[in-house]
Amino acid sequence: MSQRKRVATAGSQSKLARRSQQVVLDEDDDGDASFTQLTSSQVQKARENFTSVQVDRKVAEVVQFILIKDQKKIPIRRADIVKHVIKEYKALYQDIIKRVDRTFEQVFGLKLVEIDSKNHIYILINKLQPVPGEPISMCPGNPKTGLLFVILSIIFMKGGTVKENVVWNTLKKLRVDVGEKHEEFGDVKKVVTDEFVRQKYLEYLRIPHTEPLEYEFRWGQRAEKEVSKMKVLEFIGELHSQEPQTWTQQYREASSGESSQR
Amino acid sequence: MSRPMGDSHKRFLQTLMSNGIISSLQAKALHRHCCETHGAHYSPDRLDEFIDVINTQLQPMFMYIRKGMSEEDGVQYYALVNTAETDITRMSSDYADNELELFRKTMDLIVDSENGAASSTDVLNCADSLQTKKLKKKETELVLNKFVQDKWLNEKQGVYTLSTRCIIEMEQYMRLIYQDLIKVCHVCQNVAIQSQICENPACGIKMHLPCVARYFKGRNDPHCPSCNDFWAHEIPEIRQSQSEGSQSQSSSAAPAPTPSTSSTRRSRRS
């Protein structure tokens, strides 16, 4: 806060000073010019224009909006939040989003994470890990979680990138044939390459210069933030009745992943 | 005075949110599980306090965990209510406009009816006259299935009733839209959709079936508590699950949680 005040009194008309006077939300080039041209005094004025009750209400509305979008695991665009919810409170975007973030952490145990800083796209990730023995499933009726976890495990054990055929072959061994309609998952290929990718759990990327065209899988941004690599390794360890440490490379990666995820 | 939420509270809230509605038995088991997972102090008779902590933090978000009773079996349930909504907007992200219109019309049929139910035939007739965009028979059946799966309606032998989740979450909306058409149960004072009505036209009080069962238990000559006329309806038996729901459960009724494995590293004191 005090930093902004200092900048506001700078007063010099040089390009550099003008830049530093701006409450720059970020160097965005998404065409939304009105964001970057806000001066700190404009923000201050906006704070005075709206009562705290009104702003409280906006915070609540943004929380609701994001929760609903997140139900479908659709990444949330900042532009949508502003257009549909924040509207005339736009100048207070930073204030509002900060409070929204705090609410998600303190009340819901969720975290708002920006996965695309150019286009300003967020996802809500779970700060609480799934634990065994839940009396009611956290994801009721969702066998897809198991499928996803297996695929994430394959990718992780293979060093982070894996050709799609490896995934299909492994799944086939588990009686999940990507060519056939599966009893629980339906069109398996669609679930894996479309649904999981859209939800940002997986990345499905073209391998350049391949003829015929081949694709590879990687962990998506949501998986990176939500899934504990150590948990994956422990799962593999149990499958093979070995200690996780048996796989030194993966163990090292999983251990460093733990500390960065906290 | 508001206590901050611990991880045990957050986990409870998340699970409730992803399930939409949980029974009080499930809530008790979940309460225990959440406290044990995060090493929080657990006391089985402290569930209400536990939920109060969550509700205090939810209040600025215009959200609230509300307790309600199933009109069918008297079991208590918990659902998350949005106190700022005065429409069925909480369904709006999952359904198309014409599907929402169908839901509203189905609710109209149910509220208007004497028995708090609507036949699939009646709903299909509505689908034919939607203002937004008509729904064909097959489409209507699919949408109705979705309403049931998402726990907004119950279906039994082609007859649709409002689910407990629907009544808990949309009570505010219903009172606003239907005003005097919505009556409350004489016994428990909550909205009564499926109910028995006093036959005396000058009286007409309503009582939920589970409430009737409790109120007239053991009496073989039931009379209306309001006008004293003979209560001309069949008195249902108190269901086993109903009595379980209203008493406090001993912890042995909850399923034993599996011992936590390596979650110790991740568990946080709340």
Side-chain angles (χ1 to χ4, degrees), chain A residues 57 59-60 63-64 67-68 71-72 103 105-110 126-129 131-138 140 228 230-231 234 258 261-262, chain B residues 5 7 10-11 13-15 17-19 22 26 29-30 33 37-38 57-58 60-63 82 84 93-94 255 257-258 261-263 265-266 268:
Chain A
R57 183 69 183 244
V59 171
V63 167
Q64 292 282 353
L67 281 174
I68 292 173
Q71 250 184 347
K72 314 225 164 284
T103 302
E105 289 206 49
Q106 291 177 350
V107 180
F108 297 91
L110 302 169
N126 199 341
K127 293 209 80 180
L128 303 175
Q129 286 283 316
V131 294
E134 290 262 334
I136 325 164
S137 169
M138 289 272 259
S228 154
M230 189 54 83
K231 277 258 179 307
E234 283 163 4
E258 289 292 275
Q261 259 187 345
R262 269 185 213 260
Chain B
M5 280 175 66
D7 282 354
K10 296 173 194 175
R11 187 175 289 275
L13 177 59
Q14 280 192 22
T15 309
M17 284 172 71
S18 56
N19 281 274
I22 61 177
Q26 287 177 313
L30 184 61
H33 170 84
T37 303
H38 297 285
Q57 298 300 324
L58 283 178
M61 298 302 118
F62 300 98
M63 290 163 75
N82 186 327
S93 65
D94 295 327
T258 56
T261 51
S262 54
S263 54
R265 238 193 301 163
R266 286 217 162 256
R268 295 171 191 85

Side-chain angles (χ1 to χ4, degrees), chain B residues 18-147:
Chain B
S18 56
N19 281 274
I21 183 168
I22 61 177
S23 71
S24 62
L25 264 169
Q26 287 177 313
K28 289 176 164 80
L30 184 61
H31 173 213
R32 181 180 178 171
H33 170 84
C34 291
C35 289
E36 288 181 353
T37 303
H38 297 285
H41 174 71
Y42 171 67
S43 179
D45 51 359
R46 286 267 186 93
L47 177 57
D48 284 341
E49 272 181 52
F50 186 82
I51 292 181
D52 276 344
V53 171
I54 304 175
N55 276 336
T56 310
Q57 298 300 324
L58 283 178
Q59 197 194 11
M61 298 302 118
F62 300 98
M63 290 163 75
Y64 186 78
I65 298 176
R66 163 112 60 82
K67 204 170 173 179
M69 182 190 78
S70 159
E71 293 192 321
E72 320 230 322
D73 57 20
V75 170
Q76 296 284 332
Y77 286 86
Y78 291 92
L80 195 59
V81 177
N82 186 327
T83 56
E85 262 161 10
T86 47
D87 197 353
I88 58 174
T89 46
R90 66 133 57 263
M91 291 170 74
S92 59
S93 65
D94 295 327
Y95 298 95
D97 282 344
N98 58 347
E99 295 171 344
L100 290 174
E101 196 194 342
L102 182 71
F103 187 78
R104 286 192 188 94
K105 285 204 149 47
T106 307
M107 194 186 261
D108 286 346
L109 282 172
I110 289 173
V111 171
D112 267 337
S113 75
E114 249 204 37
N115 58 351
S119 70
S120 49
T121 320
D122 289 337
V123 180
L124 281 163
N125 286 338
C126 279
D128 211 27
S129 57
L130 292 176
Q131 285 190 324
T132 40
K133 187 180 154 196
K134 295 200 208 311
L135 280 166
K136 296 195 204 91
K137 179 168 190 252
K138 198 73 189 144
E139 292 173 321
T140 307
E141 284 169 5
L142 284 171
V143 177
L144 282 171
N145 270 346
K146 201 161 169 232
F147 289 149

Side-chain angles (χ1 to χ4, degrees), chain A:
Chain A
M1 268 295 272
S2 52
Q3 200 169 34
R4 284 202 202 122
K5 276 212 184 107
R6 245 186 288 134
V7 166
T9 55
S12 155
Q13 284 307 299
S14 73
K15 191 174 180 189
L16 190 63
R18 233 183 300 139
R19 256 277 185 89
S20 59
Q21 269 186 342
Q22 289 166 357
V23 175
V24 176
L25 292 176
D26 44 61
E27 257 100 67
D28 69 337
D29 30 2
D30 62 354
D32 197 354
S34 44
F35 260 121
T36 43
Q37 280 161 17
L38 282 169
T39 61
S40 52
S41 59
Q42 278 178 316
V43 174
Q44 192 53 41
K45 192 159 179 231
R47 285 197 192 117
E48 289 158 18
N49 264 344
F50 299 111
T51 66
S52 62
V53 172
Q54 287 172 312
V55 180
D56 287 348
R57 183 69 183 244
K58 276 299 159 191
V59 171
E61 287 174 13
V62 174
V63 167
Q64 292 282 353
F65 182 80
I66 294 175
L67 281 174
I68 292 173
K69 287 274 188 225
D70 183 70
Q71 250 184 347
K72 314 225 164 284
K73 297 276 179 247
I74 304 173
I76 308 122
R77 295 176 54 229
R78 181 180 82 180
D80 287 339
I81 301 177
V82 175
K83 180 173 168 197
H84 297 293
V85 191
I86 295 203
K87 301 188 202 174
E88 71 272 23
Y89 291 70
K90 203 152 106 163
L92 296 176
Y93 181 82
Q94 281 292 49
D95 288 356
I96 293 174
I97 215 69
K98 242 187 228 130
R99 287 179 56 187
V100 165
D101 198 18
R102 211 177 339 133
T103 302
F104 277 130
E105 289 206 49
Q106 291 177 350
V107 180
F108 297 91
L110 302 169
K111 182 132 182 68
L112 197 59
V113 172
E114 193 172 40
I115 56 169
D116 184 339
S117 50
K118 182 168 179 261
N119 299 307
H120 309 296
I121 303 182
Y122 300 100
I123 56 171
L124 257 188
I125 58 147
N126 199 341
K127 293 209 80 180
L128 303 175
Q129 286 283 316
V131 294
E134 290 262 334
I136 325 164
S137 169
M138 289 272 259
C139 304
N142 200 352
K144 289 181 192 162
T145 316
L147 174 65
L148 174 65
F149 201 74
V150 165
I151 299 175
L152 289 175
S153 311
I154 300 169
I155 301 171
F156 175 62
M157 295 309 285
K158 290 272 184 213
T161 312
V162 90
K163 283 217 179 96
E164 64 176 313
N165 284 325
V166 176
V167 172
W168 306 141
N169 289 337
T170 314
L171 287 181
K172 192 163 185 180
K173 288 191 200 139
L174 298 169
R175 309 265 169 84
V176 179
D177 196 330
V178 76
E180 295 166 2
K181 187 165 185 219
H182 190 265
E183 201 181 278
E184 286 224 74
F185 309 127
D187 185 345
V188 178
K189 186 151 195 220
K190 184 152 188 261
V191 170
V192 177
T193 60
D194 183 42
E195 195 176 320
F196 288 163
V197 172
R198 253 187 306 118
Q199 294 172 342
K200 305 281 179 193
Y201 280 116
L202 293 178
E203 278 179 13
Y204 185 58
L205 308 158
R206 270 213 296 251
I207 307 176
H209 314 301
T210 47
E211 188 73 47
L213 196 56
E214 279 176 51
Y215 285 83
E216 61 187 16
F217 282 106
R218 288 185 204 199
W219 278 36
Q221 283 160 305
R222 191 189 293 273
E224 289 287 348
K225 298 265 192 266
E226 272 189 16
V227 183
S228 154
K229 293 196 160 97
M230 189 54 83
K231 277 258 179 307
V232 172
L233 197 53
E234 283 163 4
F235 166 68
I236 299 285
E238 278 180 40
L239 272 184
H240 295 266
S241 306
Q242 308 240 18
E243 287 296 307
Q245 288 86 332
T246 314
W247 297 272
T248 30
Q249 179 81 336
Q250 286 86 343
Y251 188 78
R252 214 178 303 138
E253 198 188 325
S255 306
S256 64
E258 289 292 275
S259 39
S260 65
Q261 259 187 345
R262 269 185 213 260

Side-chain angles (χ1 to χ4, degrees), chain B residues 150-211:
Chain B
D150 292 343
K151 300 183 197 161
W152 297 114
L153 295 177
N154 289 333
E155 184 266 336
K156 206 192 268 179
Q157 297 173 326
V159 175
Y160 292 90
T161 50
L162 298 183
S163 70
T164 311
R165 180 189 187 186
C166 180
I167 295 176
I168 296 178
E169 291 201 31
M170 304 210 202
E171 180 176 326
Q172 201 171 304
Y173 163 74
M174 290 196 289
R175 285 192 198 247
L176 191 73
I177 295 293
Y178 298 108
Q179 306 257 335
D180 291 333
L181 271 178
I182 295 266
K183 298 273 190 299
V184 297
C185 169
H186 188 85
V187 175
C188 70
Q189 294 303 307
N190 286 314
V191 164
I193 309 289
Q194 288 182 74
S195 56
Q196 290 183 349
I197 309 178
C198 178
E199 300 271 287
N200 179 356
C203 178
I205 61 155
K206 279 185 161 190
M207 289 204 268
H208 291 121
L209 279 82
C211 295

